[in-house]
Amino acid sequence: MEREQRKPFSLRRAAPADWDFWRGIEPHCPAVQFEEKARSGRAFFICLGREPVGLLDFTLLWDKLPFLNCLFVLPQGRGQGAGRFAMGAWEQEMKKAGYQMVLLSTQADEEAQHFYRKLGYQDCGCLILNQCPLAQPAELFFCKTL
């Protein structure tokens, strides 16, 4: 029996017409905000072959520093390297655009922090929100020089 070849991953820019699929994964993102992300080129789908298996989006902190807002891989794309591929492709896009560094964050109680450290991200601070309406575990910040 022939071994099935793995389809290659790709990163595809989201378009405003992708709203229905996007909101199925990221329900807290308002339509207007998604449309701005898509039009600005800051929203991507992680695809396995032609099928979207995740998403990634970012913003520019202080209008000059790429900050990863969200990386999410659907169950059917997990364990196959989709997240690692997406991060590497995004980092290359940012480097090609002339950025020297990228930032991201994750809550201290989330496993994602270990994933980002394996990709070479360094801890660079935290935000503690424990006595406010947005109380949550500490938000850990990570940076990586490109």
Side-chain angles (χ1 to χ4, degrees):
M1 179 183 277
E2 274 187 48
R3 188 174 168 169
E4 184 181 328
Q5 281 192 330
R6 208 180 257 185
K7 298 175 189 171
F9 289 109
S10 63
L11 211 53
R12 173 179 71 77
R13 290 192 190 278
D18 293 320
W19 166 239
D20 285 334
F21 187 84
W22 190 277
R23 78 173 168 185
I25 299 173
E26 185 62 40
H28 302 294
C29 179
V32 170
Q33 188 176 1
F34 170 73
E35 188 172 320
E36 165 57 27
K37 289 177 187 208
R39 290 194 192 288
S40 69
R42 295 184 185 149
F44 297 87
F45 285 110
I46 306 162
C47 298
L48 179 57
R50 298 179 64 90
E51 178 188 354
V53 294
L55 57 82
L56 177 151
D57 78 274
F58 74 99
T59 191
L60 289 177
L61 189 61
W62 306 310
D63 294 328
K64 62 182 175 183
L65 187 57
F67 182 89
L68 183 73
N69 284 331
C70 180
L71 170 67
F72 187 84
V73 178
L74 293 167
Q76 65 266 32
R78 294 182 187 155
Q80 301 177 54
R84 179 178 293 276
F85 166 82
M87 290 301 293
W90 178 64
E91 291 165 6
Q92 287 303 310
E93 286 277 326
M94 297 302 97
K95 187 172 184 173
K96 191 165 62 174
Y99 298 107
Q100 297 178 328
M101 186 175 83
V102 292
L103 286 175
L104 59 83
S105 69
T106 188
Q107 286 183 193
D109 62 343
E110 293 177 341
E111 291 296 315
Q113 63 181 296
H114 307 296
F115 170 71
Y116 295 124
R117 286 185 185 110
K118 285 179 187 175
L119 296 181
Y121 284 80
Q122 302 291 314
D123 295 65
C124 64
C126 74
L127 178 62
I128 299 173
L129 299 170
N130 56 8
Q131 299 287 325
C132 69
L134 299 176
Q136 67 173 51
E139 188 75 15
L140 305 177
F141 288 82
F142 296 88
C143 64
K144 184 175 184 178
T145 302
L146 300 176

